[in-house]
């Protein structure tokens, strides 16, 4: 692994793309225009061609077939070098792993390689208006019609929907079955008649999220992943990948981990680092960040998780997203009145990056299950507390 680490460092030193000359989004959740999209796609393609995306995935489907742990080393080095994130977030971290687990041979051979190289972009069709955090209450329906399914429904908060070629889509195929049993899981093409994408504008003024309306959209029957009615099981597996409770990402999940250092640098630049209150807050954040790194190491030791396999990874998602939000909030507090300025204002500190981070952080405490839902799961499954009603 140390040889791989050295190789990655050397490659990044020669190939880091630097600043693009325009404002990049802070994550794949905020990609809003063609210029950002094209630049980030080129970066993912370059990494894939170098062998640094899909490092552990099977060679026959486009991966590199390397030993377990290789992708983690690559991701760590990319994060250390503050390299740009990988564009195809849903494909690399959620859709790809479930296709490898549940897909047919034909689905794997058709879909995995273009996903790794960002030649085809993926989005996620789980959330629906009015459903809140109760995923199983979805109303989108899929009706079998010969060699196709007809899809009708409304999805929302669809990251990258505007650019997506494919969607991991949940729809109800049996309205008479009990709530969780009548759901099926589709690998649905997006660029077909009957699919309308409506971009949403976030409070930062940026895009990234979309609504997707499916109206009499016909998708082939072989778009079904797994068995008809198996959707809830596969959706649960997808959420484990999304929440970091299961390893298997093809890359791009090693970001973060050095946020406290950035805030400490900000405190020094603003001559606030001698303030005992500021130092105390920074020490507290450093302890929390260090604990997250230690827990990430513990999560990779199978024997430590055998009794409650989900507990530690879910706790990581909960605490990491809340730490990110608290750090951005504290950075804005350090900036004082300048925190009221925005991008491209001459007086804005770091071009308002921390204000932007703070507002964007709310998406992270909602996506993949809100903090409240995760606390419920941890309380019920890890601590054995009574279930909520």
């Amino acid at each position: 692994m140390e040889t791989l680490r050295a190789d990655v460092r050397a490659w990044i030193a020669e190939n880091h793309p630097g600043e693009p000359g325009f404002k990049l989004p802070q994550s794949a959740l905020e990609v809003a225009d063609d210029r950002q999209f094209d630049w980030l796609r080129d970066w993912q393609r370059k990494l894939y061609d170098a062998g640094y995306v899909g490092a552990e995935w099977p060679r026959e489907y486009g991966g590199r077939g390397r030993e377990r742990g290789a992708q983690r080393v690559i991701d760590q080095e990319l994060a250390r070098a503050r390299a740009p994130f990988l564009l195809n977030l849903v494909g690399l971290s959620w859709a790809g792993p479930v296709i490898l687990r549940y897909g047919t041979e034909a689905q794997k051979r058709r879909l995995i390689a273009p996903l790794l190289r960002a030649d085809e972009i993926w989005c996620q069709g789980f959330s629906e208006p009015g459903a809140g955090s109760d995923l199983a209450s979805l109303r989108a329906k899929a009706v079998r019609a010969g060699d196709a399914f007809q899809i009708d429904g409304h999805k929302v908060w669809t990251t990258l929907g505007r650019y997506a070629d494919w969607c991991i889509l949940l729809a109800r195929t049996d309205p008479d079955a009990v709530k969780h049993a009548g759901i099926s899981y589709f690998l649905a093409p997006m660029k077909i008649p009957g699919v309308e994408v409506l971009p949403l504008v976030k409070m930062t003024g940026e895009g990234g999220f979309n609504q997707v309306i499916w109206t009499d959209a016909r998708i082939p029957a072989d778009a079904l992943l797994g068995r008809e009615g198996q959707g809830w099981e596969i959706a649960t597996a997808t959420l484990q990948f999304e929440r970091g409770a299961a390893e298997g990402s093809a890359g791009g999940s090693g970001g973060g981990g050095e946020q406290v250092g950035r805030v400490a640098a900000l405190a020094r630049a603003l001559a606030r680092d001698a303030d005992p209150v500021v130092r105390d807050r920074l020490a507290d954040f450093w302890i929390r960040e260090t604990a997250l790194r230690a827990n990430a190491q513990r999560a990779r030791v199978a024997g430590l998780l055998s009794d409650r396999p989900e507990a530690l990874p879910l706790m990581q998602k909960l605490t990491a997203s809340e730490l990110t939000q608290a750090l951005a909030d504290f950075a804005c507090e350090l900036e004082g009145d300048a925190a009221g300025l925005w991008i491209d204002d001459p007086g804005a500190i770091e071009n308002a990056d921390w204000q932007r981070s703070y507002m964007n952080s709310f998406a992270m405490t909602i996506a993949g299950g809100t903090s409240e839902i995760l606390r419920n799961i941890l309380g019920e499954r890890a601590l054995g507390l009574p279930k909520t009603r």
Side-chain angles (χ1 to χ4, degrees):
M1 287 296 176
E2 290 311 305
T3 300
L4 172 62
R5 190 180 296 281
D7 290 345
V8 177
R9 285 189 182 186
W11 186 89
I12 294 173
E14 288 188 9
N15 294 279
H16 195 298
E19 295 296 325
F22 55 85
K23 197 70 175 170
L24 277 177
Q26 293 182 320
S27 77
L29 274 59
E30 292 99 34
V31 178
D33 62 48
D34 293 351
R35 187 169 57 168
Q36 294 173 340
F37 177 83
D38 291 341
W39 193 91
L40 289 164
R41 176 144 78 173
D42 287 345
W43 171 241
Q44 184 170 327
R45 286 172 169 169
K46 195 170 186 178
L47 273 175
Y48 175 76
D49 291 343
Y52 297 144
V53 181
E56 298 172 30
W57 287 15
R59 284 184 179 276
E60 59 268 33
Y61 308 131
R64 305 299 179 181
R66 299 191 70 123
E67 66 273 39
R68 186 175 181 185
Q71 191 66 60
R72 187 168 59 247
V73 169
I74 294 166
D75 290 350
Q76 287 171 350
E77 290 305 311
L78 291 170
R80 187 191 61 79
R82 300 189 68 177
F85 59 83
L86 295 184
L87 173 70
N88 206 5
L89 170 71
V90 176
L92 296 172
S93 298
W94 310 330
V98 295
I99 293 171
L100 288 175
R101 182 181 295 182
Y102 294 97
T104 64
E105 186 66 15
Q107 288 171 333
K108 294 174 189 175
R109 292 193 179 278
R110 165 64 185 86
L111 299 170
I112 294 295
L115 170 161
L116 290 171
R117 200 169 179 271
D119 291 336
E120 294 178 343
I121 303 299
W122 286 74
C123 66
Q124 183 184 38
F126 282 19
S127 298
E128 295 188 6
S133 294
D134 185 7
L135 180 59
S137 69
L138 63 88
R139 302 175 67 180
K141 61 182 181 180
V143 178
R144 186 72 179 252
D147 59 354
F149 284 94
Q150 178 176 309
I151 309 293
D152 289 276
H154 185 173
K155 300 292 180 176
V156 71
W157 312 126
T158 312
T159 301
L160 289 170
R162 176 183 164 195
Y163 294 104
D165 301 284
W166 297 92
C167 178
I168 44 175
L169 177 71
L170 289 181
R172 193 165 293 284
T173 46
D174 186 352
D176 299 321
V178 295
K179 197 172 181 182
H180 295 80
I183 298 171
S184 295
Y185 195 115
F186 297 93
L187 309 174
M190 287 285 288
K191 295 178 178 174
I192 58 174
V195 178
E196 182 182 12
V197 180
L198 305 173
L200 297 170
V201 179
K202 300 192 300 182
M203 62 179 165
T204 61
E206 300 171 292
F209 292 150
N210 303 269
Q211 298 186 78
V212 182
I213 314 295
W214 300 75
T215 307
D216 298 335
R218 289 175 66 87
I219 62 174
D222 63 7
L224 181 69
L225 182 65
R227 302 184 309 277
E228 195 168 322
Q230 197 184 2
W232 185 254
E233 175 191 330
I234 306 175
T236 302
T238 307
L239 289 173
Q240 288 180 338
F241 289 116
E242 182 176 356
R243 294 166 177 165
E247 287 196 291
S249 169
S253 57
E258 298 180 356
Q259 299 177 88
V260 177
R262 285 189 60 205
V263 179
L266 175 68
R268 282 194 295 275
L270 297 173
R272 298 287 308 277
D273 56 323
D275 183 329
V277 174
V278 170
R279 295 173 71 87
D280 185 64
R281 296 278 299 276
L282 285 171
D284 178 64
F285 285 129
W286 182 84
I287 291 168
R288 292 165 66 181
E289 190 175 77
T290 302
L292 278 169
R293 279 199 293 269
N295 275 340
Q297 291 181 318
R298 289 174 59 204
R300 293 193 285 274
V301 180
L304 296 178
L305 305 176
S306 55
D307 55 342
R308 298 184 182 95
E310 285 186 88
L312 193 53
L314 290 179
M315 189 174 69
Q316 284 289 89
K317 192 275 180 186
L318 171 66
T319 52
S321 60
E322 294 195 343
L323 175 61
T324 297
Q325 190 168 85
L327 273 167
D329 187 23
F330 181 56
C332 291
E333 186 180 326
L334 287 175
E335 290 187 7
D337 291 344
L341 304 177
W342 192 236
I343 297 170
D344 293 337
D345 189 301
I349 296 170
E350 297 187 19
N351 203 16
D353 243 23
W354 287 109
Q355 296 90 302
R356 199 175 168 214
S357 293
Y358 178 66
M359 286 193 271
N360 282 328
S361 70
F362 287 90
M364 303 308 297
T365 55
I366 294 172
T370 64
S371 293
E372 290 78 8
I373 290 292
L374 293 179
R375 284 190 169 88
N376 273 349
I377 295 172
L378 286 165
E380 293 167 3
R381 299 183 193 172
L383 301 177
L385 299 176
K387 288 195 173 185
T388 54
R389 296 181 179 177

